[in-house]
Amino acid sequence: MVEVTSRYDFDSHGPQREYVHMVMAVVPDDGPEVTPLLDECADGVVSFSKPMDDRKGNARETSPSISGFDYVIASWGDGSFYTYNLAEKVWMVLGLSPRCVGNDNQRVIYDDLSLPEFGVAEGEVSNEFYWTASRDVSWKISNEYLRKYLWLRSAYGVRVFHYQALRPDGAELRVLMNGRAHVQIKPEGGWYELDLREFKGGLLIQVWGTVKAIAPELCPELSADGIDWPDVTGPMTHARADALISLTKVLLDDKFLQRYEQSSFYDTTPVNFDGRWECSPSYRGQWSFTECIRVGRNLISVPMRELYKAKPDREILHARAFALSAHDVAHFDLQEEHIVSKTNRFLNQLLDLGDHLSALAKTVGIQKAASELIGFSRAEITANGWTSYPRLCRLAQVAPLDMSQQEFLSRCKSLHEIWQRIPDGFLKSLLEKAGCRRESIKQLGSLKLLQALLNIATKLNLNEESSDAFQNNAEPDGWSTRNEAMAALFLNNDLRIADAHEVEQCLETLQNLGFDTANVNRGYGHALDFVMDGVIDSLAALNAEIAALLARA
């Protein structure tokens, strides 16, 4: 990032005062040599103050410039108020889009949404000056984009600045002053003017300068041509990849997806094709990865030809950073379940639970659609996959084995929040129909309500009762008994609300359920697997009992 406009004010009236402002002019490379100081050195803005005359047509010929040259940052000030923004020519030539952040202390950030590339240029919108500056101002732009703009304009970036500092009296400065109290040094045709004078017991330094800083030369472009890939002989190019007939596969660590999963600009919705889960990031119809198939727990397989299909080279280079060789993955279990498959199993149990609860409620006269109970529609998922359910996509995001404790707790919270949408009031109504007293279940949460439902269904199944027997006026025996089949759901709830010092207690519970807690020394990835498997098994146990009861209608 290259600074193209600045305004810094430190201790402006104190013994250590230091001040600088700078603007950047766009000067044609075939134009006149800019060695004389430009007038804008004095004020540090492109345009200082407004036209004094308010007559009609007075601003007809007004064309803001830096001594007749274009500028990178449009800036205006009048001594009290200052405003800054990226010049219209710059953002229109480069195709940038702005966004504003920061409430009262606003900044504008420009992005190139065609790639996308974020934070291409950014800086403060404004500041005020009343004895002291309200804040410093700094505008920076990506070196790559600035040079591209200057190259397109065939122009140099010329810095025009003023610097001022109050320094203690010293021999080095006195040599320049040559025994005088005030001296001005301005070389013939030089790029600067220096003013030294005695001031408040010290020496005041002031410099006005004009410097040809940046040449109109493009930065070297990133290219995916000529790079090496693991287990592939010779450098790969777009032409060679396109000509590949054999399905040369590349294996990627699935951390490759994290960059895309963590930004709303990209679509990373998993898609199931004939039992294979594809996780192919795409960007708003501009470009897309294709045929990125999950293999094992943390691997992605993609054909080399698909990898080189139309997309920015920087995206291919990003994928290359996560490429693994056959030796790297020799110890991987390629049949181990990945996070997307696990999330899908969880979803299937939820969909079944919604259907079963809806059907059970119907036997006691309660009409409730499955989608209203669980927040997911089986028909919508069949038609459009997970597109309408970003919560599922977030739960299925990359879960590395070295997952941090905080990431683990956050994922447990997401898992709990998805299934907990089942209304407590609905469950209480069901239990009341089954004979539970209202005062006994009034204060119960969803976990204990589901546990009670499981206990009642299990007891009815043991006695081979039909579903008609679910509705009962007598309170069922043992409905509030602790059921080990629900232990994982209770554990997940504890992890959802746990903070760092409570995790040790949760790890003890994990160990009691059969998890080897020594694994968390290398990360919490396997702990997440264990919790998700447990939650899925708990829901499956509940589904099995309700389904068995309904089968004997």
Side-chain angles (χ1 to χ4, degrees):
M1 299 297 286
V2 179
E3 194 164 49
V4 288
T5 283
S6 60
R7 193 176 190 91
Y8 300 112
D9 189 3
F10 175 74
D11 196 25
S12 57
H13 295 281
Q16 298 293 322
R17 76 165 55 175
E18 190 168 23
Y19 173 81
V20 65
H21 62 230
M22 180 267 291
V23 294
M24 180 170 282
V26 179
V27 179
D29 59 0
D30 57 355
E33 188 71 23
V34 184
T35 49
L37 300 178
L38 300 178
D39 293 340
E40 288 70 20
C41 284
D43 300 311
V45 288
V46 172
S47 179
F48 189 82
S49 192
K50 298 181 293 185
M52 295 178 62
D53 204 333
D54 288 336
R55 290 177 300 177
K56 178 181 178 181
N58 187 52
R60 179 178 293 173
E61 304 299 327
T62 299
S63 180
S65 69
I66 299 178
S67 297
F69 300 112
D70 281 339
Y71 43 85
V72 176
I73 302 297
S75 53
W76 173 90
D78 63 0
S80 297
F81 305 102
Y82 293 85
T83 304
Y84 305 84
N85 215 323
L86 194 62
E88 185 179 60
K89 283 186 179 180
V90 178
W91 64 260
M92 291 185 74
V93 166
L94 296 177
L96 306 182
S97 301
R99 54 189 166 97
C100 197
V101 298
N103 298 326
D104 291 337
N105 294 320
Q106 289 190 343
R107 296 171 56 81
V108 175
I109 301 174
Y110 283 84
D111 306 315
D112 181 357
L113 295 181
S114 63
L115 288 176
E117 183 76 19
F118 304 109
V120 170
E122 60 182 285
E124 287 73 20
V125 174
S126 62
N127 75 337
E128 299 179 16
F129 189 89
Y130 183 69
W131 300 108
T132 60
S134 60
R135 61 171 171 164
D136 291 335
V137 172
S138 176
W139 272 84
K140 296 181 179 180
I141 184 169
S142 157
N143 181 48
E144 177 187 0
Y145 280 79
L146 177 58
R147 288 181 178 274
K148 183 176 181 180
Y149 174 72
L150 294 174
W151 181 77
L152 290 170
R153 293 290 308 274
S154 188
Y156 280 88
V158 176
R159 283 193 171 113
V160 182
F161 70 91
H162 168 66
Y163 174 79
Q164 181 184 113
L166 183 61
R167 290 289 177 261
D169 203 333
E172 292 182 352
L173 294 176
R174 283 293 182 181
V175 170
L176 291 174
M177 297 176 72
N178 197 23
R180 290 175 286 176
H182 176 211
V183 63
Q184 287 182 302
I185 302 174
K186 185 178 181 181
E188 184 69 28
W191 59 270
Y192 71 92
E193 179 179 336
L194 172 65
D195 183 290
L196 287 170
R197 64 181 67 196
E198 296 174 352
F199 185 77
K200 292 185 177 181
L203 296 178
L204 182 65
I205 308 170
Q206 296 184 87
V207 181
W208 296 264
T210 302
V211 180
K212 185 184 288 187
I214 302 176
E217 299 171 358
L218 292 174
C219 291
E221 290 189 14
L222 294 173
S223 175
D225 277 338
I227 62 174
D228 294 320
W229 291 84
D231 303 325
V232 176
T233 304
M236 185 59 60
T237 64
H238 283 81
R240 182 185 174 192
D242 189 56
L244 286 174
I245 298 176
S246 62
L247 290 178
T248 303
K249 297 291 184 73
V250 177
L251 287 176
L252 306 176
D253 188 313
D254 69 348
K255 289 181 181 178
F256 146 78
L257 294 173
Q258 288 179 320
R259 169 184 174 185
Y260 307 108
E261 290 177 340
Q262 294 167 7
S263 172
S264 60
F265 285 96
Y266 303 99
D267 180 17
T268 55
T269 304
V271 179
N272 192 329
F273 287 112
D274 299 324
R276 299 185 311 164
W277 282 100
E278 184 174 310
C279 298
S280 300
S282 63
Y283 176 66
R284 298 189 174 186
Q286 303 297 309
W287 53 261
S288 174
F289 284 90
T290 47
E291 296 189 30
C292 294
I293 306 297
R294 280 195 169 273
V295 179
R297 190 187 186 282
N298 292 110
L299 292 176
I300 290 174
S301 173
V302 54
M304 181 69 77
R305 184 174 183 178
E306 299 298 320
L307 197 58
Y308 269 79
K309 279 188 175 178
K311 63 181 66 67
D313 276 15
R314 67 184 65 203
E315 307 304 330
I316 302 173
L317 292 172
H318 171 70
R320 172 62 184 88
F322 295 91
L324 300 172
S325 67
H327 175 75
D328 294 329
V329 302
H331 63 286
F332 282 56
D333 178 2
L334 300 185
Q335 303 306 315
E336 187 176 2
E337 188 179 32
H338 50 75
I339 185 66
V340 180
S341 174
K342 209 175 288 290
T343 301
N344 189 57
R345 284 201 298 121
F346 169 65
L347 172 63
N348 288 334
Q349 290 300 329
L350 268 183
L351 292 172
D352 289 346
L353 183 59
D355 292 338
H356 292 149
L357 289 176
S358 179
L360 184 61
K362 191 174 181 180
T363 66
V364 295
I366 300 175
Q367 301 297 323
K368 201 75 171 178
S371 59
E372 295 178 37
L373 294 173
I374 60 172
F376 295 102
S377 165
R378 190 184 293 274
E380 170 64 25
I381 289 172
T382 301
N384 300 309
W386 297 3
T387 305
S388 301
Y389 302 110
R391 291 174 297 147
L392 285 176
C393 298
R394 287 193 293 270
L395 182 61
Q397 287 181 353
V398 174
L401 291 176
D402 60 356
M403 173 182 282
S404 71
Q405 184 185 95
Q406 199 59 43
E407 290 171 329
F408 166 66
L409 295 177
S410 176
R411 203 69 66 95
C412 288
K413 181 178 180 180
S414 297
L415 179 65
H416 180 85
E417 288 174 347
I418 289 176
W419 74 258
Q420 202 192 23
R421 292 195 58 176
I422 302 171
D424 288 356
F426 167 79
L427 295 175
K428 290 175 183 178
S429 297
L430 268 184
L431 292 174
E432 276 192 276
K433 295 287 187 180
C436 296
R437 291 177 299 165
R438 183 70 177 177
E439 58 271 20
S440 299
I441 61 176
K442 185 177 181 181
Q443 302 300 323
L444 298 184
S446 55
L447 274 172
K448 290 189 176 180
L449 294 172
L450 287 176
Q451 181 175 251
L453 189 61
L454 175 59
N455 288 335
I456 294 170
T458 301
K459 186 69 176 289
L460 291 172
N461 285 326
L462 286 173
N463 294 323
E464 297 188 4
E465 297 279 3
S466 69
S467 57
D468 295 340
F470 180 78
Q471 187 166 1
N472 198 339
N473 293 324
E475 186 173 14
D477 293 334
W479 67 268
S480 60
T481 304
R482 181 173 179 177
N483 195 317
E484 288 301 319
M486 302 294 283
L489 285 175
F490 282 93
L491 170 63
N492 183 218
N493 181 60
D494 291 341
L495 289 167
R496 173 184 69 92
I497 59 178
D499 56 28
H501 72 276
E502 294 172 327
V503 171
E504 292 300 324
Q505 184 178 345
C506 294
L507 289 178
E508 289 181 18
T509 307
L510 276 170
Q511 191 166 8
N512 293 336
L513 291 176
F515 179 69
D516 184 0
T517 53
N519 287 324
V520 300
N521 293 329
R522 296 188 296 272
Y524 282 77
H526 283 311
L528 178 64
D529 293 345
F530 187 85
V531 171
M532 288 191 70
D533 286 338
V535 168
I536 293 167
D537 290 343
S538 293
L539 294 177
L542 181 57
N543 275 320
E545 294 297 341
I546 299 177
L549 181 61
L550 291 171
R552 293 190 301 276

